[in-house]
Amino acid sequence: QVQPVESGGGLVQAGGSLTLSCVAPESIYGITVMAWYRQVPGKQRELVASITSSGSTDYTDSVKGRFTISRDTDNWNTVYLQMNSLKPTDAGLYLCVVESGSRYPSYFWGQGTQVTVSS
């Protein structure tokens, strides 16, 4: 199964930082968007941040000013999510999704990396 691979999650104290990485397989062509979602038990999956192939970024309001999504300058199939000033409410399973194709897009989901924030 073709899927991106996430890493970088872990346990951090409130106020701390983590950097997540997502690497999409080279077999995925025509990547248009890479994004991070957060899954918390009992809640709907939430879009946290996204970045397009042209470099445009978008964030959910709760992370603006604290999180930064970026792409590897040498390899578009790798993106990072720098998370600063973490709060307990930021905790969850962070999933990377890759969108490829423009007219009939396909979506590839990773298995996620767990972020735990202690208060």
Side-chain angles (χ1 to χ4, degrees):
Q1 187 175 0
V2 177
Q3 60 183 173
V5 177
E6 306 97 332
S7 62
L11 172 63
V12 64
Q13 286 189 330
S17 299
L18 281 174
T19 301
L20 307 184
S21 300
C22 172
V23 181
E26 293 185 357
S27 58
I28 300 178
Y29 294 98
I31 295 175
T32 53
V33 180
M34 293 183 73
W36 288 95
Y37 278 74
R38 178 169 59 219
Q39 180 73 62
V40 177
K43 293 189 177 181
Q44 198 166 11
R45 189 174 291 182
E46 175 187 25
L47 176 61
V48 175
S50 63
I51 185 166
T52 69
S53 57
S54 62
S56 296
T57 59
D58 195 20
Y59 301 89
T60 190
D61 286 345
S62 64
V63 308
K64 286 180 181 177
R66 299 187 297 119
F67 289 15
T68 303
I69 189 169
S70 62
R71 48 193 284 192
D72 191 289
T73 54
D74 296 324
N75 199 345
W76 163 220
N77 73 334
T78 301
V79 295
Y80 307 100
L81 184 67
Q82 175 68 44
M83 305 187 295
N84 298 326
S85 303
L86 281 161
K87 305 175 181 180
T89 51
D90 295 321
L93 183 67
Y94 281 72
L95 301 130
C96 178
V97 60
V98 177
E99 178 180 329
S100 70
S102 54
R103 188 172 184 182
Y104 301 104
S106 297
Y107 300 90
F108 302 87
W109 288 86
Q111 295 193 341
T113 185
Q114 186 70 39
V115 172
T116 304
V117 183
S118 63
S119 56

